[in-house]
Amino acid sequence: MKKHIPNSITCCNLISGCIATAFAFGGNIEMALLWIIIGAVFDFFDGMTARLLHVSSPIGKELDSLADDVTFGVAPSTIIFSQLQVMAYPTMLEPLRDYLPFVAYIMAAFSALRLAKFNLDERQALGFIGLPTPANALFWGSLLVGVGNKMENHDWMLYIVLIGIAISSWLLVSEIPMFALKFKQWGWKGNEIKYIFLLTCIPLLLVFGITSFAIIIAWYVILSIIVKPSTAKG
């Protein structure tokens, strides 16, 4: 019986991603973001439960990647898809209004590729290589929930979103080392970058509200590039 518990939690993640996608198609990106976050909670606990119960399996690993691509790949891509449908378009791109929103799903494909690489990459014991899919999903969800309405009336913002899709897709599969918030011990030495990151997040959360999560993810990427953390096994 216990061997099915982690996979059941993973399926809850998958279902959350499906619900988030449905809300995103309906234009309710606030609820879509909420269900992405709920999916992230399930994603956290399925791995923890598998380790506690000692029931990890190859099937669970593959199921987890499938669920993650739906919740953190397809769902945020659909949020962008819905945003691209309602934005102002430059005159030269107006004939492409019915087709251009589908460009958002390129990010879902790169999310799947990132997850497949993660399953095979043994370097990512203490950190990540490339941007984790939950972070990318949270970036887009919080950004568009926070400032999506302000983006709709400026046709030049379309280019920003399209460039953002390209950058996100590249970051997902890039070879850039990124630190993980994993602590082997709680002292300052050896954890400097983690504590600096967490401390700088506090004022961002207080000042920018929901949009702060997008700013925090961007700061996380910049900080990772600056410090070039080690991802080797300890």
Side-chain angles (χ1 to χ4, degrees):
M1 177 65 183
K2 70 177 184 179
K3 68 179 181 181
H4 297 298
I5 295 176
N7 288 347
S8 298
I9 297 175
T10 302
C11 287
C12 290
N13 174 16
L14 177 60
I15 293 169
S16 298
C18 293
I19 296 172
T21 302
F23 274 117
F25 271 127
N28 191 340
I29 60 176
E30 292 84 2
M31 286 299 296
L33 175 59
L34 174 62
W35 280 98
I36 287 174
I37 294 171
I38 291 172
V41 173
F42 285 124
D43 183 49
F44 175 80
F45 282 108
D46 64 358
M48 176 184 291
T49 304
R51 289 188 292 272
L52 288 174
L53 297 178
H54 304 289
V55 291
S56 298
S57 68
I59 291 178
K61 189 175 183 180
E62 299 304 322
L63 180 62
D64 184 65
S65 293
L66 175 62
D68 284 355
D69 191 42
V70 173
T71 303
F72 309 126
V74 176
S77 294
T78 306
I79 290 176
I80 302 172
F81 172 86
S82 296
Q83 181 69 32
L84 288 172
Q85 286 187 313
V86 299
M87 291 181 69
Y89 276 55
T91 303
M92 64 180 294
L93 293 180
E94 187 62 40
L96 299 177
R97 174 177 288 278
D98 292 338
Y99 310 102
L100 205 55
F102 291 100
V103 170
Y105 290 102
I106 292 174
M107 198 174 72
F110 275 88
S111 296
L113 182 57
R114 188 272 181 296
L115 291 162
K117 287 181 63 178
F118 181 82
N119 285 346
L120 299 175
D121 195 339
E122 298 180 355
R123 298 172 296 168
Q124 304 189 51
L126 300 178
F128 303 104
I129 303 293
L131 183 64
T133 53
N136 185 60
L138 183 59
F139 171 85
W140 282 104
S142 61
L143 177 69
L144 296 183
V145 167
V147 299
N149 290 336
K150 298 177 182 177
M151 298 168 64
E152 293 176 8
N153 298 323
H154 304 285
D155 57 13
W156 55 271
M157 287 300 300
L158 178 70
Y159 297 111
I160 300 297
V161 174
L162 294 177
I163 292 171
I165 293 170
I167 293 173
S168 284
S169 298
W170 173 72
L171 285 173
L172 286 165
V173 297
S174 71
E175 288 293 307
I176 300 174
M178 298 189 183
F179 64 90
L181 292 174
K182 298 177 182 178
F183 292 85
K184 287 188 174 181
Q185 48 83 24
W186 297 103
W188 173 263
K189 188 175 181 180
N191 293 317
E192 296 91 343
I193 190 64
K194 300 170 187 177
Y195 281 124
I196 290 172
F197 174 71
L198 291 173
L199 289 172
T200 54
C201 287
I202 296 172
L204 292 175
L205 288 167
L206 294 175
V207 173
F208 295 102
I210 188 66
T211 313
S212 65
F213 291 103
I215 299 171
I216 287 170
I217 298 302
W219 171 228
Y220 166 74
V221 172
I222 293 169
L223 201 55
S224 293
I225 293 172
I226 292 172
V227 300
K228 297 181 179 178
S230 172
T231 56
K233 291 184 177 181

mmCIF file of all heavy atoms in Angstrom, residues 44-66:
data_model
loop_
_atom_site.group_PDB
_atom_site.id
_atom_site.type_symbol
_atom_site.label_atom_id
_atom_site.label_comp_id
_atom_site.label_asym_id
_atom_site.label_seq_id
_atom_site.Cartn_x
_atom_site.Cartn_y
_atom_site.Cartn_z
ATOM 1 N N PHE A 44 6.812 18.918 -4.011
ATOM 2 C CA PHE A 44 7.762 18.887 -2.900
ATOM 3 C C PHE A 44 7.554 17.649 -2.036
ATOM 4 O O PHE A 44 8.512 16.969 -1.651
ATOM 5 C CB PHE A 44 7.605 20.153 -2.056
ATOM 6 C CG PHE A 44 8.450 20.170 -0.818
ATOM 7 C CD1 PHE A 44 9.800 20.497 -0.884
ATOM 8 C CD2 PHE A 44 7.898 19.864 0.420
ATOM 9 C CE1 PHE A 44 10.589 20.511 0.263
ATOM 10 C CE2 PHE A 44 8.673 19.875 1.565
ATOM 11 C CZ PHE A 44 10.021 20.198 1.495
ATOM 12 N N PHE A 45 6.294 17.333 -1.762
ATOM 13 C CA PHE A 45 6.009 16.254 -0.822
ATOM 14 C C PHE A 45 6.086 14.863 -1.439
ATOM 15 O O PHE A 45 6.284 13.890 -0.698
ATOM 16 C CB PHE A 45 4.634 16.467 -0.169
ATOM 17 C CG PHE A 45 4.659 17.493 0.918
ATOM 18 C CD1 PHE A 45 4.078 18.738 0.721
ATOM 19 C CD2 PHE A 45 5.271 17.232 2.132
ATOM 20 C CE1 PHE A 45 4.111 19.702 1.724
ATOM 21 C CE2 PHE A 45 5.313 18.189 3.139
ATOM 22 C CZ PHE A 45 4.719 19.424 2.936
ATOM 23 N N ASP A 46 5.951 14.732 -2.762
ATOM 24 C CA ASP A 46 6.033 13.374 -3.317
ATOM 25 C C ASP A 46 7.447 12.802 -3.171
ATOM 26 O O ASP A 46 7.637 11.648 -2.782
ATOM 27 C CB ASP A 46 5.532 13.312 -4.762
ATOM 28 C CG ASP A 46 6.367 14.112 -5.743
ATOM 29 O OD1 ASP A 46 7.343 14.761 -5.319
ATOM 30 O OD2 ASP A 46 6.030 14.104 -6.939
ATOM 31 N N GLY A 47 8.454 13.642 -3.462
ATOM 32 C CA GLY A 47 9.829 13.187 -3.299
ATOM 33 C C GLY A 47 10.177 12.929 -1.848
ATOM 34 O O GLY A 47 10.839 11.928 -1.522
ATOM 35 N N MET A 48 9.740 13.813 -0.964
ATOM 36 C CA MET A 48 10.000 13.641 0.459
ATOM 37 C C MET A 48 9.364 12.345 0.976
ATOM 38 O O MET A 48 9.983 11.583 1.731
ATOM 39 C CB MET A 48 9.467 14.838 1.246
ATOM 40 C CG MET A 48 9.615 14.700 2.750
ATOM 41 S SD MET A 48 8.864 16.083 3.651
ATOM 42 C CE MET A 48 9.972 17.410 3.219
ATOM 43 N N THR A 49 8.125 12.106 0.548
ATOM 44 C CA THR A 49 7.418 10.905 0.990
ATOM 45 C C THR A 49 8.106 9.640 0.488
ATOM 46 O O THR A 49 8.231 8.654 1.229
ATOM 47 C CB THR A 49 5.963 10.940 0.497
ATOM 48 O OG1 THR A 49 5.332 12.137 0.947
ATOM 49 C CG2 THR A 49 5.180 9.739 1.009
ATOM 50 N N ALA A 50 8.557 9.668 -0.767
ATOM 51 C CA ALA A 50 9.242 8.502 -1.328
ATOM 52 C C ALA A 50 10.516 8.189 -0.540
ATOM 53 O O ALA A 50 10.828 7.013 -0.282
ATOM 54 C CB ALA A 50 9.577 8.750 -2.796
ATOM 55 N N ARG A 51 11.247 9.239 -0.140
ATOM 56 C CA ARG A 51 12.477 9.017 0.632
ATOM 57 C C ARG A 51 12.170 8.511 2.037
ATOM 58 O O ARG A 51 12.851 7.619 2.553
ATOM 59 C CB ARG A 51 13.294 10.310 0.699
ATOM 60 C CG ARG A 51 13.933 10.695 -0.641
ATOM 61 C CD ARG A 51 14.886 11.869 -0.484
ATOM 62 N NE ARG A 51 14.193 13.101 -0.147
ATOM 63 C CZ ARG A 51 13.691 13.945 -1.046
ATOM 64 N NH1 ARG A 51 13.793 13.683 -2.343
ATOM 65 N NH2 ARG A 51 13.086 15.057 -0.659
ATOM 66 N N LEU A 52 11.141 9.067 2.661
ATOM 67 C CA LEU A 52 10.788 8.641 4.013
ATOM 68 C C LEU A 52 10.299 7.200 4.054
ATOM 69 O O LEU A 52 10.588 6.447 4.994
ATOM 70 C CB LEU A 52 9.709 9.571 4.585
ATOM 71 C CG LEU A 52 10.151 10.990 4.959
ATOM 72 C CD1 LEU A 52 8.955 11.831 5.367
ATOM 73 C CD2 LEU A 52 11.173 10.952 6.100
ATOM 74 N N LEU A 53 9.561 6.800 3.021
ATOM 75 C CA LEU A 53 8.999 5.452 2.984
ATOM 76 C C LEU A 53 9.925 4.448 2.293
ATOM 77 O O LEU A 53 9.622 3.256 2.256
ATOM 78 C CB LEU A 53 7.642 5.472 2.263
ATOM 79 C CG LEU A 53 6.532 6.310 2.913
ATOM 80 C CD1 LEU A 53 5.274 6.287 2.064
ATOM 81 C CD2 LEU A 53 6.224 5.802 4.332
ATOM 82 N N HIS A 54 11.028 4.967 1.722
ATOM 83 C CA HIS A 54 11.995 4.105 1.009
ATOM 84 C C HIS A 54 11.314 3.319 -0.118
ATOM 85 O O HIS A 54 11.494 2.107 -0.253
ATOM 86 C CB HIS A 54 12.678 3.138 1.982
ATOM 87 C CG HIS A 54 13.354 3.823 3.136
ATOM 88 N ND1 HIS A 54 14.505 4.567 2.994
ATOM 89 C CD2 HIS A 54 13.015 3.887 4.463
ATOM 90 C CE1 HIS A 54 14.862 5.056 4.176
ATOM 91 N NE2 HIS A 54 13.975 4.667 5.080
ATOM 92 N N VAL A 55 10.536 4.040 -0.917
ATOM 93 C CA VAL A 55 9.797 3.371 -1.996
ATOM 94 C C VAL A 55 10.037 4.059 -3.338
ATOM 95 O O VAL A 55 9.167 4.050 -4.205
ATOM 96 C CB VAL A 55 8.280 3.312 -1.693
ATOM 97 C CG1 VAL A 55 7.986 2.374 -0.552
ATOM 98 C CG2 VAL A 55 7.722 4.709 -1.390
ATOM 99 N N SER A 56 11.220 4.650 -3.521
ATOM 100 C CA SER A 56 11.532 5.270 -4.806
ATOM 101 C C SER A 56 11.553 4.220 -5.901
ATOM 102 O O SER A 56 11.964 3.072 -5.687
ATOM 103 C CB SER A 56 12.896 5.969 -4.728
ATOM 104 O OG SER A 56 12.869 6.997 -3.773
ATOM 105 N N SER A 57 11.108 4.616 -7.102
ATOM 106 C CA SER A 57 11.056 3.671 -8.209
ATOM 107 C C SER A 57 11.261 4.408 -9.524
ATOM 108 O O SER A 57 10.997 5.614 -9.620
ATOM 109 C CB SER A 57 9.701 2.956 -8.240
ATOM 110 O OG SER A 57 8.664 3.852 -8.589
ATOM 111 N N PRO A 58 11.730 3.696 -10.568
ATOM 112 C CA PRO A 58 11.870 4.321 -11.889
ATOM 113 C C PRO A 58 10.545 4.860 -12.414
ATOM 114 O O PRO A 58 10.513 5.907 -13.066
ATOM 115 C CB PRO A 58 12.405 3.184 -12.761
ATOM 116 C CG PRO A 58 13.072 2.243 -11.801
ATOM 117 C CD PRO A 58 12.245 2.317 -10.550
ATOM 118 N N ILE A 59 9.455 4.174 -12.130
ATOM 119 C CA ILE A 59 8.144 4.638 -12.583
ATOM 120 C C ILE A 59 7.807 5.976 -11.920
ATOM 121 O O ILE A 59 7.303 6.899 -12.568
ATOM 122 C CB ILE A 59 7.055 3.588 -12.267
ATOM 123 C CG1 ILE A 59 7.246 2.349 -13.149
ATOM 124 C CG2 ILE A 59 5.659 4.186 -12.476
ATOM 125 C CD1 ILE A 59 6.255 1.245 -12.877
ATOM 126 N N GLY A 60 8.097 6.078 -10.638
ATOM 127 C CA GLY A 60 7.828 7.322 -9.926
ATOM 128 C C GLY A 60 8.620 8.478 -10.492
ATOM 129 O O GLY A 60 8.116 9.602 -10.599
ATOM 130 N N LYS A 61 9.857 8.216 -10.879
ATOM 131 C CA LYS A 61 10.713 9.253 -11.450
ATOM 132 C C LYS A 61 10.156 9.757 -12.770
ATOM 133 O O LYS A 61 10.114 10.965 -13.024
ATOM 134 C CB LYS A 61 12.121 8.688 -11.652
ATOM 135 C CG LYS A 61 13.167 9.709 -12.042
ATOM 136 C CD LYS A 61 14.544 9.050 -12.097
ATOM 137 C CE LYS A 61 15.629 10.069 -12.409
ATOM 138 N NZ LYS A 61 16.977 9.441 -12.463
ATOM 139 N N GLU A 62 9.710 8.834 -13.621
ATOM 140 C CA GLU A 62 9.150 9.229 -14.919
ATOM 141 C C GLU A 62 7.807 9.934 -14.745
ATOM 142 O O GLU A 62 7.522 10.915 -15.436
ATOM 143 C CB GLU A 62 8.992 7.996 -15.815
ATOM 144 C CG GLU A 62 10.289 7.261 -16.120
ATOM 145 C CD GLU A 62 11.334 8.170 -16.742
ATOM 146 O OE1 GLU A 62 10.965 9.035 -17.555
ATOM 147 O OE2 GLU A 62 12.519 8.015 -16.404
ATOM 148 N N LEU A 63 6.995 9.433 -13.829
ATOM 149 C CA LEU A 63 5.688 10.054 -13.573
ATOM 150 C C LEU A 63 5.876 11.472 -13.046
ATOM 151 O O LEU A 63 5.129 12.386 -13.414
ATOM 152 C CB LEU A 63 4.899 9.213 -12.566
ATOM 153 C CG LEU A 63 3.497 9.728 -12.194
ATOM 154 C CD1 LEU A 63 2.591 9.768 -13.429
ATOM 155 C CD2 LEU A 63 2.882 8.847 -11.111
ATOM 156 N N ASP A 64 6.880 11.655 -12.194
ATOM 157 C CA ASP A 64 7.158 12.980 -11.638
ATOM 158 C C ASP A 64 7.520 13.968 -12.741
ATOM 159 O O ASP A 64 7.056 15.115 -12.730
ATOM 160 C CB ASP A 64 8.295 12.871 -10.623
ATOM 161 C CG ASP A 64 8.571 14.200 -9.932
ATOM 162 O OD1 ASP A 64 7.694 14.678 -9.201
ATOM 163 O OD2 ASP A 64 9.660 14.760 -10.139
ATOM 164 N N SER A 65 8.337 13.529 -13.695
ATOM 165 C CA SER A 65 8.723 14.416 -14.796
ATOM 166 C C SER A 65 7.521 14.773 -15.661
ATOM 167 O O SER A 65 7.379 15.912 -16.104
ATOM 168 C CB SER A 65 9.805 13.753 -15.653
ATOM 169 O OG SER A 65 11.008 13.631 -14.924
ATOM 170 N N LEU A 66 6.647 13.788 -15.905
ATOM 171 C CA LEU A 66 5.441 14.048 -16.695
ATOM 172 C C LEU A 66 4.554 15.067 -15.996
ATOM 173 O O LEU A 66 4.075 16.026 -16.622
ATOM 174 C CB LEU A 66 4.670 12.745 -16.918
ATOM 175 C CG LEU A 66 3.317 12.866 -17.631
ATOM 176 C CD1 LEU A 66 3.500 13.427 -19.029
ATOM 177 C CD2 LEU A 66 2.621 11.503 -17.682
#
